[in-house]
Amino acid sequence: MSKELKEIKERAAKATPGEWRRKEDFRGDLRTVMALKEKVVVEYRYLFGKVDEANLDFIAHARTDIPYLLRRLEAAEAVAEETPMCGCENHTQLQAAWQQAKEEKP
């Protein structure tokens, strides 16, 4: 596992555990992302303009999406490392793409 993936995994492990969800106040000018035990994770209050609902959805789902994606990536890496490459054009392209993805920075 790359240094970057280890750092992402560590950040995810340190974040408030459990599923997160969005919540609005009764006036509609406060948006929060809450952990299931009612701990505020993010609070966003606006006075003018519009709340970016897509960003709030992204934050709320990140708590479960990131660990899921890390598990899938670890499984894919394990398969890729155990799969013998025959040197054909397809495997050569796959290996090059895999190496490039591993070297890209977040």
Side-chain angles (χ1 to χ4, degrees), residues 68-85:
Y68 168 77
L69 291 171
L70 286 170
R71 287 191 306 273
R72 293 289 304 263
L73 182 57
E74 287 174 345
E77 282 184 338
V79 169
E81 289 172 5
E82 294 172 7
T83 302
M85 297 291 176

Side-chain angles (χ1 to χ4, degrees), residues 47-63:
L47 300 174
F48 305 102
K50 183 179 175 185
V51 172
D52 191 334
E53 302 291 337
N55 285 345
L56 291 172
D57 283 340
F58 181 83
I59 293 166
H61 287 94
R63 185 67 195 105

Side-chain angles (χ1 to χ4, degrees), residues 85-95:
M85 297 291 176
C86 68
C88 71
E89 184 178 347
N90 287 341
H91 282 161
T92 302
Q93 290 174 351
L94 177 62
Q95 195 169 28

Side-chain angles (χ1 to χ4, degrees), residues 4-27:
E4 291 81 12
L5 287 178
K6 285 179 185 175
E7 290 171 353
I8 292 169
K9 196 171 187 175
E10 288 171 6
R11 285 192 296 271
K14 291 177 184 176
T16 301
E19 188 177 329
W20 295 355
R21 61 182 167 77
R22 290 182 45 192
K23 186 176 180 181
E24 289 184 40
D25 73 340
F26 67 95
R27 295 178 308 190

